[in-house]
Amino acid sequence: MTGSSLTYRIDAELVQQAFKKLERAVKDTTPIMRAVGAALVEGTQSRFEKGVAPDGSGWAPLNPGYAAGKRGPGILRESGMRGGLMASVTMRAGRDQVEVGTNKVYAAIHQFGGTISAKGGGYLSFRIGDGFARVKSVTIPARPFIGISAEDEAEVAEVVTGALARATAQ
């Protein structure tokens, strides 16, 4: 080398110990994935409370007639419904992945929106406000709740870097 240089001697034993700790931490990342999943579930449930999609946009407002007789504190939330949509959001962690979702059959219509039509040309009948509606179809607007927000991304990064820092701490 020409000019200036600095020589630094690395303690090979300390480096080897750090690499062994790192290897153990990433050999089975299931615990890290569990922590990531828990953070994503918490983020999803927070969006229910705020009534926003993962991209931060607000959910479509409720039909005024439905809103008039609705039970519960907000959109996609009902009181008295044990195990409702918000409470059903769970995660499943594996060695190299985490899955966040719900087992509620009606979740997809709320996530993606769509039209529900009566079978066989009949009518859909349901309570709305103080009365009943009888219609051929009803359109549900998309109100995305599953997904990863910017806040979720930051939380996931914090979980992973924190886990690696703890795994390699001296």
Side-chain angles (χ1 to χ4, degrees):
M1 283 189 188
T2 59
S4 175
S5 67
L6 173 67
T7 301
Y8 180 75
R9 187 164 182 82
I10 297 175
D11 183 340
E13 187 176 329
L14 284 176
V15 171
Q16 288 299 325
Q17 288 173 1
F19 273 114
K20 285 180 184 177
K21 287 179 181 179
L22 183 59
E23 181 182 24
R24 281 192 302 270
V26 297
K27 190 173 189 175
D28 180 12
T29 60
T30 304
I32 297 170
M33 292 299 172
R34 247 186 243 116
V36 166
L40 292 175
V41 167
E42 187 176 311
T44 301
Q45 290 174 337
S46 175
R47 285 192 294 278
F48 271 92
E49 292 169 356
K50 296 174 187 171
V52 298
D55 68 3
S57 63
W59 287 338
L62 295 174
N63 171 299
Y66 175 76
K70 183 187 179 310
R71 300 174 302 166
I75 298 172
L76 298 186
R77 297 174 66 198
E78 286 283 329
S79 64
M81 287 188 66
R82 202 167 151 234
L85 188 57
M86 180 177 161
S88 75
V89 176
T90 59
M91 64 87 185
R92 181 174 31 213
R95 183 177 179 276
D96 58 1
Q97 69 179 19
V98 65
E99 183 178 332
V100 176
T102 173
N103 63 353
K104 297 295 186 187
V105 295
Y106 57 87
I109 194 74
H110 292 298
Q111 177 77 13
F112 303 109
T115 300
I116 301 170
S117 299
K119 291 182 179 179
Y123 291 92
L124 299 171
S125 297
F126 51 91
R127 185 174 200 53
I128 187 161
D130 291 333
F132 283 91
R134 189 168 184 248
V135 296
K136 293 263 185 190
S137 66
V138 63
T139 299
I140 307 290
R143 294 184 178 108
F145 56 94
I146 297 288
I148 298 177
S149 67
E151 293 86 5
D152 292 335
E153 286 180 2
E155 183 66 23
V156 167
E158 190 175 309
V159 166
V160 172
T161 57
L164 291 176
R166 285 188 299 280
T168 58
Q170 294 299 322

